[in-house]
Amino acid sequence: MDRSSAGFSGHYPRSGNDDYQPKDHAASSSRGRYRHAPVRQWGHPPRTTPGRNELYYSSAACSFQHLQRRSVNHAQDFNNLIKQEIMDGLVNQSDRIGQRYDGRHHGRYASSIKKYTSAAKRPLNRAEQSHLICFLQNFIATPGWNWLSLTTTLHSFTSAGVFTPHNPMDERVKRTQAALLSTLLDAIIFKCNQASHARNIAAQGVANLLWALAKLVDNGQEQTPTFNGAVAALLPHVNPQKKQFIPQHIVNLLWAMAKLADYGQERTPEFNAAVAALLPHVNVQKANFTAQGIANLLWAMAKLVDNGQEQARGFKEALATLLPHVNIQKGQFIPQHITNLLWAMAKLVDNGQERTPVLKEAVAALLPHVNAQKNQFNAQGVANLLWAMAKLVDNGQERTPELNKAVAALLARVNAQKDQFNARGITNLLWAMAKLVDNGQERTPALKEATAALLPLVNTAKANFNRQEIANLLWAMAKLVDNGEDRTPELKEAEHSLLPHVNAQKDNFKPQGIANLLWAMAKLVDNGQEWTAGLNDAVAALLPHVNAQKNQFIPQHIANLLWAMAKLVDSGLEKTPEFKDALAALLPHVNVQKDQFIPQHIANLLWAMAKLVKNGQEQTPEFNEAVASLLSLVNAQKANSKPQEIANLLWATANLGELIELNVFTSTFKSLVYRISENTQFSQQEILMSLWGVMVCCARLALDSNAHKNNVLEKHMDDLLTRLENTSPDNEEDQSIMIMAASWLGRDCPVVRHYQTNISKTQVDFRDQLKSSIPSLKIEEEKSLNSLPPVDLLLPDHNMVIEIQGPFHYVGGDFKTRKGSTLLKIALLQKAGFEVIEIPVNRLWNQDLMKPYIDQIKTRIGFPPQEHGSVPLKRSWADAAYVTADDRQPSDPGYLIAEEHSKEQTGKPAKRKKTNSQ
């Protein structure tokens, strides 16, 4: 999903159009020691200048100053820059002057490389970089270099792409590149640590160096100890210089720190102090920022927040200062600015920024420009914009005509640019489309075409996806399928190409990734995904990490994980020791974090608990405590629950049956059922789930002689069935629900259900023993009475039903706590006039155990039992397995204690769809 993931999360998309390449800003300032251009044009020094007549300058190098004023032959110009006499002259200059050499000529040469790439409008290509690196083997910074030379050299080489890693790269080139960078970084650290030199660091130098370091890591440079040391050495110089920074410096510095933080820079006290020192100056300088500056500042602030920056007063004031300028300067933003701004606002909102009127105005001001400039957005811009719009919509953005036009304009560009999307772009696009559809976006032809264009690229780029992208992609595909996307061969191939990478990267997934992946796999299985070896391996690989990271899951993760685990088990996943450990690790966190769950979480969690119970979950203290914690929240959150959530809550509460104390059970239903009649938006499926739940509640009340009967619940049952009168569900379980409701209410039901029967060996053995004891007794098997689910044994002459109950009919198979489906079947039979005797299967495993029950039945039908101290059935079903002859109550029907015997006999809902959790 999310950072979801996404999501999910969510999903964590990065903007690639986020770097502010300064416009030769080393030569643009007019303040301090940089009042003169720090990098002068490469030319002959005056002969009268001492120490400046030793360096040889080629005429080709001298002529470089004219490059930007004429048409150029780039190959010729580059060759002129790597003539051996140039390097000989630089080395000679450094050797002759020694410690007094300030490095200015090296800086000028570095600047000439940058100017060459500026004229070519591109960084050095791989071949040029290789030639240049070899040429620079003797390019060494010495201790005498001043700050201007160091700043100019590192900034110019970085801007020109001298240090950008290429793959593949010759090992000799790689070593020389590393040595060159190291010599510059060591010199910077040395200067920063010398108190006398540190005083000479100008504001522009600090800004340029930190920008260069951030750009290096953004271009793929490894963050070595030397690199980190240089960052750490420079950060303390931001605060002392804060009043000297011009707007461009502030922009570059905040961009640099945001970029460094995004690549794992530790948020040290010095780092935090630097950010805190700069933020107030955003407000002071607000009138002087250009359109590009505003875009980069908002991007930087959004990225800082995304990496843990606290939104303190200074941050909020800076944000409030910048947002109005988006509207003011809306006509000056180029496509890259529009992308960065909408991405930034989406990311800020996703991290808790309130959608204030000024933020809404800023978004509204930009959206028309997306459509107007649609043909100018590159592939990365298209991906980031669609991600931003999906995230804004997910956080409450109204789907205005302008937003719809912008989405439509961008979707059309996806197919046109499909060959240009990298792994991150593919991920962001599929995540965005899944999120838009999940929030009501119509699946237009353009959206379908965009999806179809992207899915084959997943397989092509499978080796390039990182762990976050794998999680988001699987989440997106699961969400698209859940919203109607066909499971095409391309989709299946994309799924199968990603699953092996889950196992390969299992140790690298963060809590959100684990939650999103398990949710996605559960949702795919719920929508028809086969249980392949790859899917089994992926699930098995992730489960141990649930336990390992249990303390890092937020409420949404806990809800998604438990929903996913319940769904996977319900779809056939074996409950391995790893599964049980993961479940045991999560359950205590339900109680700990109960106050942070929103209505959707509560509904999904209770649904998950009920599904786990359906599949044999034991009643541990942690499980029971989790159920109790969630039920206590239902009434408090009822006003905010959606129809689907209400239906899930009613179904889940009903399914848990006697696990829930009767007063809590009935009060939960009373707090929810009135919402059903108030809301006409319930789908057919939600009505069926709610109807089943209300029936179970009525059944439980009917079976308890001390309970207060509530006709209001039956009225709700009648209303719900009426709303289904004109429907004819093809699902057999849904048909059963309608039949049972009609039977309870004494109404005709147009639906006819044909039940499959399957007689268990225990049932056959008991029938034979009963027939042997009473040869004249008429016994019918698997009889459907009043179109209800078949009963095990029917004694038609005595209007008696015998149900042989296995552990499936009890919560956790404890032979004590009946499930809702069990309660409903017994109550329906009694309401139809039958006496029901429930016999626990664990009491029928041999003839000696059967005899007491056979004698009890003889007593009930007036056939005298033999004298052998038989054990009768007792109405208090919880004690049925332990009663003695003194407890005999011949007039009372027995109660069940049971397990499923090779078939599911009850009218419970089967697989219920739509318990969304993303």
Side-chain angles (χ1 to χ4, degrees):
M1 199 164 160
D2 259 278
R3 246 180 178 109
S4 205
S5 203
F8 305 242
S9 320
H11 346 273
Y12 326 81
R14 290 179 177 175
S15 171
N17 291 335
D18 48 21
D19 55 328
Y20 178 22
Q21 179 101 1
K23 298 178 180 178
D24 197 13
H25 61 275
S28 62
S29 175
S30 59
R31 299 189 180 195
R33 66 182 263 106
Y34 288 82
R35 59 187 178 275
H36 302 296
V39 180
R40 301 174 183 173
Q41 302 298 332
W42 192 264
H44 295 285
R47 292 185 180 273
T48 55
T49 305
R52 295 185 111 184
N53 56 356
E54 296 89 351
L55 182 60
Y56 174 83
Y57 304 95
S58 73
S59 59
C62 180
S63 67
F64 182 81
Q65 59 186 319
H66 304 294
L67 278 177
Q68 290 178 309
R69 301 177 187 174
R70 61 175 176 84
S71 296
V72 296
N73 181 323
H74 295 306
Q76 179 182 345
D77 290 328
F78 179 75
N79 288 333
N80 286 335
L81 291 172
I82 57 171
K83 291 184 175 181
Q84 187 58 44
E85 55 263 35
I86 297 177
M87 184 54 63
D88 291 343
L90 291 174
V91 172
N92 182 49
Q93 186 83 345
S94 181
D95 289 344
R96 282 178 177 272
I97 304 177
Q99 294 295 322
R100 293 185 297 108
Y101 176 56
D102 60 11
R104 69 181 66 187
H105 299 293
H106 283 70
R108 289 175 184 172
Y109 176 74
S111 183
S112 71
I113 301 298
K114 177 189 169 185
K115 288 182 179 179
Y116 164 74
T117 58
S118 297
K121 297 182 180 179
R122 61 167 176 76
L124 296 172
N125 60 38
R126 186 179 303 177
E128 290 171 338
Q129 184 200 59
S130 179
H131 286 305
L132 180 65
I133 292 292
C134 294
F135 177 74
L136 296 177
Q137 288 186 73
N138 296 319
F139 193 101
I140 299 172
T142 59
W145 281 29
N146 59 30
W147 275 108
L148 179 57
S149 299
L150 283 172
T151 302
T152 302
T153 302
L154 183 61
H155 177 270
S156 297
F157 279 168
T158 301
S159 297
V162 174
F163 297 120
T164 301
H166 287 291
N167 189 22
M169 179 183 285
D170 181 86
E171 282 300 318
R172 184 169 64 93
V173 173
K174 188 183 295 186
R175 288 194 300 271
T176 306
Q177 183 189 61
L180 175 60
L181 179 58
S182 181
T183 189
L184 291 170
L185 294 178
D186 285 338
I188 290 167
I189 296 170
F190 177 78
K191 290 287 185 185
C192 287
N193 292 335
Q194 301 298 309
S196 59
H197 292 296
R199 288 196 297 269
N200 297 322
I201 301 177
Q204 186 168 351
V206 175
N208 284 359
L209 283 171
L210 280 169
W211 180 91
L213 292 172
K215 192 65 180 176
L216 282 170
V217 74
D218 195 42
N219 284 335
Q221 189 61 236
E222 183 184 356
Q223 291 171 275
T224 61
T226 304
F227 178 95
N228 292 331
V231 173
L234 282 167
L235 284 173
H237 295 283
V238 174
N239 195 17
Q241 301 269 11
K242 59 187 177 184
K243 294 183 180 179
Q244 312 300 323
F245 294 123
I246 61 174
Q248 189 176 344
H249 301 160
I250 295 168
V251 173
N252 287 354
L253 281 166
L254 282 170
W255 180 90
M257 285 187 276
K259 183 60 70 174
L260 288 167
D262 200 42
Y263 281 98
Q265 171 67 36
E266 185 183 356
R267 295 181 57 81
T268 61
E270 292 78 12
F271 184 99
N272 292 334
V275 174
L278 291 169
L279 287 173
H281 290 276
V282 173
N283 192 23
V284 173
Q285 303 260 19
K286 60 186 176 185
N288 301 319
F289 293 116
T290 63
Q292 184 175 357
I294 292 168
N296 286 353
L297 278 172
L298 281 168
W299 180 91
M301 294 173 73
K303 185 57 75 173
L304 284 168
V305 166
D306 202 41
N307 283 291
Q309 172 68 35
E310 184 182 354
Q311 296 190 48
R313 180 178 175 182
F315 185 94
K316 292 179 179 178
E317 288 178 352
L319 184 61
T321 294
L322 287 173
L323 285 173
H325 288 273
V326 174
N327 197 11
I328 293 169
Q329 300 206 37
K330 60 187 177 185
Q332 300 176 48
F333 295 119
I334 62 173
Q336 183 177 337
H337 303 160
I338 295 168
T339 303
N340 286 358
L341 284 166
L342 282 168
W343 183 93
M345 288 186 276
K347 181 58 72 174
L348 286 166
V349 168
D350 197 45
N351 280 293
Q353 171 63 35
E354 185 183 353
R355 293 183 64 248
T356 59
V358 72
L359 187 140
K360 293 178 183 178
E361 287 174 7
V363 172
L366 290 171
L367 286 174
H369 292 276
V370 174
N371 193 25
Q373 302 194 41
K374 60 187 176 185
N375 294 326
Q376 299 177 52
F377 292 109
N378 61 19
Q380 189 173 351
V382 171
N384 288 350
L385 277 170
L386 274 170
W387 181 91
M389 283 185 262
K391 183 58 73 174
L392 285 168
V393 167
D394 198 43
N395 283 293
Q397 171 72 32
E398 296 84 0
R399 295 187 61 86
T400 61
E402 290 75 18
L403 185 132
N404 290 334
K405 287 179 184 177
V407 169
L410 290 167
L411 285 173
R413 300 289 299 160
V414 173
N415 196 18
Q417 302 199 35
K418 62 184 178 183
D419 296 330
Q420 300 175 47
F421 294 116
N422 60 18
R424 186 187 299 178
I426 296 166
T427 305
N428 285 357
L429 281 167
L430 281 169
W431 182 93
M433 289 189 282
K435 182 59 74 173
L436 285 167
V437 168
D438 198 44
N439 281 294
Q441 170 72 33
E442 185 183 354
R443 294 183 66 246
T444 61
L447 188 137
K448 293 178 183 178
E449 288 175 9
T451 304
L454 289 170
L455 285 173
L457 302 180
V458 175
N459 191 30
T460 304
K462 61 187 177 185
N464 300 321
F465 295 116
N466 61 31
R467 60 181 186 272
Q468 180 185 324
E469 290 157 0
I470 292 168
N472 285 357
L473 279 169
L474 280 168
W475 180 93
M477 287 187 274
K479 182 58 73 174
L480 285 167
V481 168
D482 200 44
N483 281 290
E485 178 72 25
D486 294 332
R487 299 193 73 249
T488 60
E490 291 78 12
L491 180 80
K492 293 176 183 178
E493 188 174 13
E495 292 168 5
H496 293 146
S497 67
L498 289 172
L499 286 172
H501 292 277
V502 174
N503 194 12
Q505 299 209 36
K506 60 187 178 183
D507 296 329
N508 300 321
F509 289 111
K510 296 179 181 178
Q512 185 171 358
I514 295 168
N516 284 358
L517 280 168
L518 281 169
W519 181 92
M521 288 186 273
K523 183 57 75 174
L524 287 169
V525 166
D526 194 39
N527 283 291
Q529 169 70 39
E530 298 175 8
W531 274 102
T532 62
L535 181 64
N536 275 320
D537 290 345
V539 173
L542 289 171
L543 285 172
H545 293 276
V546 174
N547 192 12
Q549 302 198 40
K550 60 188 177 185
N551 295 324
Q552 299 176 51
F553 293 117
I554 62 173
Q556 185 178 346
H557 300 161
I558 293 168
N560 286 359
L561 282 166
L562 283 168
W563 180 91
M565 294 170 71
K567 177 60 70 175
L568 288 166
V569 166
D570 197 49
S571 297
L573 179 69
E574 182 185 355
K575 291 198 290 183
T576 60
E578 291 78 13
F579 180 96
K580 294 176 181 178
D581 287 346
L583 185 61
L586 288 173
L587 286 173
H589 290 274
V590 174
N591 190 37
V592 171
Q593 303 205 38
K594 62 183 179 182
D595 295 334
Q596 300 175 53
F597 292 122
I598 61 174
Q600 186 180 359
H601 300 159
I602 297 166
N604 285 353
L605 282 166
L606 274 170
W607 182 93
M609 302 290 184
K611 273 295 178 185
L612 288 167
V613 161
K614 171 184 174 294
N615 288 288
Q617 172 63 35
E618 297 177 7
Q619 285 192 64
T620 63
E622 293 79 11
F623 184 89
N624 293 344
E625 188 176 17
V627 171
S629 296
L630 291 168
L631 287 168
S632 68
L633 302 173
V634 172
N635 193 41
Q637 299 265 20
K638 63 184 179 184
N640 301 318
S641 297
K642 299 173 184 175
Q644 184 180 327
E645 292 157 6
I646 294 170
N648 283 350
L649 285 167
L650 288 169
W651 182 88
T653 305
N655 196 71
L656 290 167
E658 290 174 324
L659 177 66
I660 305 171
E661 193 269 330
L662 182 60
N663 290 335
V664 175
F665 191 92
T666 53
S667 65
T668 300
F669 269 86
K670 288 176 183 177
S671 71
L672 291 173
V673 290
Y674 82 93
R675 297 285 315 280
I676 303 172
S677 57
E678 286 180 349
N679 196 318
T680 61
Q681 303 302 313
F682 277 67
S683 67
Q684 177 180 322
Q685 184 182 45
E686 290 157 2
I687 293 172
L688 283 162
M689 293 177 71
S690 301
L691 176 58
W692 186 83
V694 171
M695 278 195 290
V696 171
C697 189
C698 289
R700 187 165 181 193
L701 290 171
L703 292 174
D704 193 313
S705 59
N706 298 317
H708 173 68
K709 306 304 181 285
N710 193 331
N711 293 331
V712 174
L713 286 173
E714 286 198 4
K715 183 180 182 304
H716 282 294
M717 191 193 305
D718 189 69
D719 291 342
L720 288 168
L721 183 58
T722 300
R723 290 163 74 171
L724 293 169
E725 277 182 339
N726 296 323
T727 64
S728 182
D730 54 6
N731 180 288
E732 290 185 345
E733 297 297 343
D734 295 344
Q735 292 172 1
S736 283
I737 293 172
M738 293 181 67
I739 292 168
M740 289 188 288
S743 174
W744 188 286
L745 296 167
R747 291 170 51 174
D748 292 332
C749 183
V751 178
V752 178
R753 169 75 193 276
H754 300 284
Y755 298 96
Q756 292 183 345
T757 60
N758 190 4
I759 303 173
S760 69
K761 184 179 184 302
T762 306
Q763 179 179 328
V764 170
D765 290 344
F766 183 77
R767 179 205 62 194
D768 291 347
Q769 283 296 111
L770 185 59
K771 188 70 175 177
S772 175
S773 298
I774 316 173
S776 62
L777 186 65
K778 184 178 180 181
I779 304 174
E780 295 182 18
E781 296 182 79
E782 299 300 322
K783 184 78 172 180
S784 179
L785 305 171
N786 294 354
S787 296
L788 297 174
V791 299
D792 292 342
L793 302 174
L794 171 66
L795 310 183
D797 296 338
H798 303 280
N799 226 30
M800 182 180 291
V801 168
I802 300 171
E803 286 285 86
I804 297 172
Q805 311 284 36
F808 176 84
H809 293 281
Y810 302 90
V811 177
D814 67 352
F815 295 105
K816 296 179 181 179
T817 313
R818 288 181 288 184
K819 293 181 183 177
S821 54
T822 306
L823 296 169
L824 178 55
K825 185 177 182 182
I826 302 306
L828 280 166
L829 289 168
Q830 288 190 0
K831 195 172 180 64
F834 296 94
E835 179 182 1
V836 183
I837 295 178
E838 302 170 62
I839 305 176
V841 73
N842 68 335
R843 306 296 290 175
L844 301 178
W845 287 336
N846 59 56
Q847 292 184 8
D848 291 337
L849 290 173
M850 290 182 189
K851 276 187 177 181
Y853 295 99
I854 292 173
D855 288 345
Q856 181 65 24
I857 293 169
K858 288 181 178 180
T859 301
R860 296 290 178 87
I861 64 175
F863 194 98
Q866 297 177 358
E867 293 296 329
H868 54 53
S870 62
V871 180
L873 296 173
K874 187 180 178 184
R875 184 167 183 80
S876 178
W877 63 270
D879 301 321
Y882 311 104
V883 296
T884 66
D886 296 333
D887 297 316
R888 184 177 293 118
Q889 298 178 14
S891 61
D892 287 348
Y895 276 77
L896 79 77
I897 312 179
E899 171 178 37
E900 182 182 28
H901 45 281
S902 305
K903 68 185 179 71
E904 185 172 310
Q905 306 180 51
T906 58
K908 64 189 181 308
K911 291 185 183 178
R912 291 286 161 220
K913 283 194 67 177
K914 298 291 186 191
T915 49
N916 297 337
S917 51
Q918 188 76 10

